[in-house]
Amino acid sequence: MNMFLHELKVNRKSTIIWTLSLVAIAVLFLSIFPTIEREGEEFKKVLASYPEGVLKAVGVQIDSITSFLGFYSYVFLYIMLCGAIQGMNLGMGVLSKEIIGKTAEFLLTKPVARKEILTSKALVVVTSLLITNIVFMGAAALMANIVAKESIDYQVFFMISATNFFVQLMFASFGFLLSVLVSRIKSVLPLSLSTVFAFFILYMFGSVIGEKAVRYLTPFKYFDLAYIIRHSGYEAQYIIIGSIFIVATVAVSFIVFTKKDIHTV
Amino acid sequence: MNVIEIKNLTKTYGNARGIENVSFHVEEGEIFGFIGPNGAGKSTTLRTLLSIIYPTSGSATVFGKDSVQSASEIKKDIGYLPSEVFYYDRMRVKDLLNYSASFYKKDCRKRIQELAEIMDLDLSKRIDDLSYGNRKKVGIVQGLLHKPKLIILDEPTGGLDPLMQQKFFDLLKEENKKGTTILFSSHILSEVQKMCDRVAIIKEGKIIKVEKISTLKESNHKKIKVETKVPVDVDFFDADGVTNLEATNNTISFLFSGNINLIMRKLSEIELSNVWVDEPDLEEIFLHYYEKEV
């Protein structure tokens, strides 16, 4: 518990900053919704003049963009991108910073098992992300209430919003695994940024060519937001695969970390 | 009872040398020195003992328990001071020490205050505002605050001024009197001589010798260098106990072990312009043991 609380405190500032950033993106984007709604037909015409590939790559679906949930799911792609960076950073940093800052030795000479160290670290990642998402959803819902004239299906709204948490967990667990496998991570941010953007580009690429297989490869494609709007539900197979991925990466991280030498100098 | 028992401990890192077949034991209540030049494998041995790294082969027990299997249990009663102290920079000293204390299920507040007072450490400062020496002090308090039964020190004196070193050694001796066992690694012979009961000498990953300090002192060598006013025949110094005899111009140097009066009498017979009498540095001592081994 002491490690958990300590770690939570260490991550407090970054969690606040990330949360505020996500909220800011949502507020910014959603504040232009009234304009889009008012001039819907004009807007659609402008969009229609763009090449189809570009629209697909940036996640625009013309027929639904002027409805609130349609617009929100378009905006949400970028919130998810930002969220993914947070998740990856957090997952990768929570262990790496002990190695980079050479404080690992401090923990490892304390009477705690390595798996206890990892457990508290992992729990901090989940807790921080959970806090971020709860605050974000509250703020986004409030904003939705302000900008949308139509009545919003809040169940679907929250279902869309919750996907961020899941995608963040996938990136966080991937980062967690990397931090255990890669022996000398010098700095977390460049590595996490490039990884997240690689998957994002894969997402754009997959959207343009319409290749189904890509959906399994990039977490950004695990949730088809249009599907969620149509069916008020998730596609089970992606939830299952995503969950397996998370459990497997965390399990491997535990196995590797409890057996490996920690080089602190 | 042996507090530490190391048996044929080997640790290799790919191509780099680690340690090879290291075996020694540390008895309860003794101050045991672990001495060798930089890179000889002192830290590797200590880290393996603390299961920060794992042995390639061989084993170690602490308090009679396997150092890998019972790692976290053993560490309840170990205090460790690393050679380089790294802590969470943004924390205050007080918070760091409280965090450290929170790992042990006992109230350490009083001891923290005591130790901070002895070591003259300002608890309200931030870690990143501290000098190297002051960080070291944090390390010392951190390593002792839970009243460990075994203290492991990895080159502990670096960065401490002589006064603080003395206070620190006094502190260790006091702990030792209460029954605490101390394992002390160093590359400075004099500090080991001052502190320890027995010493293990390690070189290039192998233990060369485990010896009582008192025995080591008996075979104490002096490094003597003289400058003479007129050239003196080198053979003049070639006596029992003289080794490594070298001469250039008017300067003659050699190692001497034996009755110091004999050599002093010899020196008084010639006209000197200068004389240096030094403790031989560690390399020379090692060389001495190394030659004996071969």
Side-chain angles (χ1 to χ4, degrees):
Chain A
M1 195 64 179
N2 59 340
M3 282 185 283
F4 176 80
L5 292 176
H6 168 79
E7 198 63 43
L8 208 58
K9 212 170 156 191
V10 170
N11 283 302
R12 186 178 51 191
K13 211 184 225 172
S14 92
T15 303
I16 292 171
I17 291 172
W18 279 106
T19 307
L20 291 180
S21 310
L22 289 182
V23 169
I25 296 173
V27 168
L28 212 68
F29 271 105
L30 291 182
S31 64
I32 60 172
F33 179 69
T35 321
I36 289 172
E37 193 183 33
R38 202 163 47 235
E39 293 167 27
E41 289 313 309
E42 290 298 310
F43 187 61
K44 279 181 180 174
K45 264 185 225 158
V46 175
L47 283 178
S49 67
Y50 284 110
E52 210 187 323
V54 173
L55 295 179
K56 276 188 175 162
V58 298
V60 169
Q61 283 171 316
I62 296 183
D63 32 325
S64 66
I65 191 108
T66 53
S67 75
F68 179 78
L69 286 176
F71 182 74
Y72 183 62
S73 54
Y74 160 68
V75 170
F76 201 72
L77 178 63
Y78 299 95
I79 288 165
M80 213 146 61
L81 174 63
C82 186
I85 298 170
Q86 179 196 13
M88 184 94 188
N89 255 337
L90 193 59
M92 190 148 57
V94 81
L95 265 179
S96 306
K97 67 172 187 291
E98 302 273 3
I99 307 288
I100 296 168
K102 301 183 177 177
T103 49
E105 205 171 50
F106 173 85
L107 280 181
L108 291 176
T109 51
K110 295 282 175 260
V112 283
R114 289 195 185 183
K115 57 178 190 292
E116 294 173 61
I117 297 177
L118 274 198
T119 306
S120 45
K121 297 265 180 196
L123 285 179
V124 165
V125 172
V126 175
T127 309
S128 300
L129 292 179
L130 211 53
I131 292 170
T132 300
N133 281 285
I134 290 169
V135 174
F136 169 78
M137 281 190 212
L142 200 68
M143 194 65 193
N145 197 26
I146 296 168
V147 297
K149 281 196 200 117
E150 56 185 308
S151 72
I152 302 163
D153 183 341
Y154 276 102
Q155 192 200 334
V156 173
F157 178 82
F158 284 119
M159 285 187 83
I160 292 173
S161 306
T163 63
N164 184 46
F165 181 56
F166 196 83
V167 170
Q168 281 185 316
L169 283 183
M170 287 180 77
F171 275 104
S173 55
F174 186 51
F176 204 58
L177 180 66
L178 278 185
S179 71
V180 170
L181 291 181
V182 182
S183 53
R184 282 178 206 270
I185 293 177
K186 287 218 174 63
S187 140
V188 170
L189 194 62
L191 192 56
S192 66
L193 273 183
S194 51
T195 313
V196 170
F197 276 106
F199 281 110
F200 192 71
I201 289 165
L202 193 64
Y203 160 86
M204 291 166 94
F205 181 69
S207 304
V208 174
I209 61 168
E211 175 60 54
K212 281 266 186 323
V214 176
R215 281 204 67 185
Y216 292 101
L217 293 178
T218 168
F220 291 112
K221 276 224 152 242
Y222 268 52
F223 296 97
D224 179 355
L225 302 183
Y227 178 95
I228 298 173
I229 296 174
R230 275 199 307 277
H231 298 87
S232 303
Y234 296 123
E235 293 164 281
Q237 73 265 36
Y238 292 98
I239 301 269
I240 293 166
I241 294 169
S243 306
I244 291 173
F245 174 80
I246 293 168
V247 171
T249 44
V250 173
V252 172
S253 307
F254 267 72
I255 294 166
V256 174
F257 186 75
T258 46
K259 296 199 167 145
K260 85 183 239 183
D261 290 343
I262 309 294
H263 298 289
T264 46
V265 177
Chain B
M1 193 195 115
N2 292 337
V3 169
I4 299 175
E5 188 127 18
I6 300 177
K7 281 187 208 131
N8 297 323
L9 201 65
T10 298
K11 175 73 191 173
T12 48
Y13 310 96
N15 294 326
R17 190 191 57 230
I19 49 171
E20 216 177 298
N21 278 320
V22 166
S23 300
F24 64 85
H25 69 272
V26 179
E27 286 156 25
E28 188 170 13
E30 79 174 329
I31 304 186
F32 190 91
F34 191 35
I35 190 158
N38 292 327
K42 298 188 296 288
S43 294
T44 302
T45 309
L46 298 186
R47 270 159 209 221
T48 313
L49 212 51
L50 290 157
S51 55
I52 297 171
I53 53 180
Y54 295 119
T56 310
S57 66
S59 66
T61 60
V62 180
F63 309 125
K65 292 174 190 128
D66 185 83
S67 69
V68 177
Q69 300 303 321
S70 314
S72 61
E73 205 193 325
I74 288 168
K75 288 174 199 167
K76 282 180 195 164
D77 291 313
I78 296 182
Y80 173 66
L81 174 64
S83 52
E84 276 183 88
V85 184
F86 291 103
Y87 293 128
Y88 307 92
D89 277 351
R90 291 193 191 136
M91 287 178 93
R92 285 181 192 290
V93 175
K94 197 176 4 177
D95 297 329
L96 179 95
L97 294 175
N98 285 335
Y99 182 41
S100 181
S102 71
F103 285 89
Y104 308 96
K105 296 188 171 41
K106 45 182 145 180
D107 186 3
C108 308
R109 277 173 299 183
K110 196 166 151 254
R111 188 69 182 142
I112 292 175
Q113 288 298 336
E114 279 171 17
L115 289 167
E117 214 157 288
I118 294 169
M119 295 312 295
D120 191 20
L121 178 68
D122 184 351
L123 290 177
S124 62
K125 279 212 166 136
R126 267 168 59 127
I127 304 277
D128 47 1
D129 291 335
L130 295 180
S131 67
Y132 180 61
N134 277 320
R135 274 174 196 238
K136 200 89 192 192
K137 291 184 195 172
V138 179
I140 292 168
V141 178
Q142 183 269 140
L144 299 180
L145 58 83
H146 57 291
K147 300 182 181 160
K149 291 187 190 131
L150 168 65
I151 301 174
I152 295 179
L153 307 159
D154 192 357
E155 304 199 358
T157 51
L160 289 180
D161 61 56
L163 193 72
M164 273 304 148
Q165 263 183 40
Q166 197 49 52
K167 278 191 181 174
F168 176 46
F169 284 155
D170 291 346
L171 191 63
L172 288 178
K173 281 190 174 147
E174 206 176 293
E175 288 302 301
N176 180 246
K177 264 186 210 147
K178 292 183 212 156
T180 309
T181 309
I182 299 174
L183 172 59
F184 184 118
S185 112
S186 175
H187 63 272
I188 304 164
L189 190 62
S190 59
E191 83 186 13
V192 170
Q193 271 178 344
K194 205 159 42 171
M195 289 291 294
C196 302
D197 307 316
R198 286 193 309 139
V199 62
I201 300 176
I202 187 170
K203 184 169 183 175
E204 289 173 1
K206 291 179 193 147
I207 298 285
I208 298 171
K209 199 165 189 77
V210 180
E211 190 150 49
K212 280 190 178 161
I213 283 289
S214 51
T215 316
L216 207 66
K217 270 183 181 160
E218 277 163 24
S219 63
N220 198 1
H221 284 68
K222 293 277 175 235
K223 190 168 133 188
I224 300 174
K225 191 166 110 177
V226 293
E227 205 179 287
T228 52
K229 292 221 162 116
V230 289
V232 174
D233 188 10
V234 182
D235 293 338
F236 176 73
F237 288 102
D238 202 359
D240 265 1
V242 172
T243 48
N244 295 21
L245 188 59
E246 276 170 41
T248 45
N249 300 329
N250 290 351
T251 315
I252 294 167
S253 68
F254 55 89
L255 284 180
F256 178 76
S257 117
N259 187 345
I260 200 77
N261 296 302
L262 293 176
I263 205 73
M264 293 318 280
R265 244 170 257 145
K266 248 186 183 325
L267 286 178
S268 68
E269 290 169 21
I270 46 171
E271 196 74 1
L272 298 175
S273 59
N274 212 341
V275 63
W276 297 263
V277 180
D278 283 317
E279 297 291 317
D281 59 39
L282 205 54
E283 268 310 300
E284 283 162 305
I285 292 278
F286 282 128
L287 220 58
H288 173 70
Y289 280 107
Y290 226 49
E291 280 163 357
K292 264 206 220 164
E293 288 287 305
V294 174

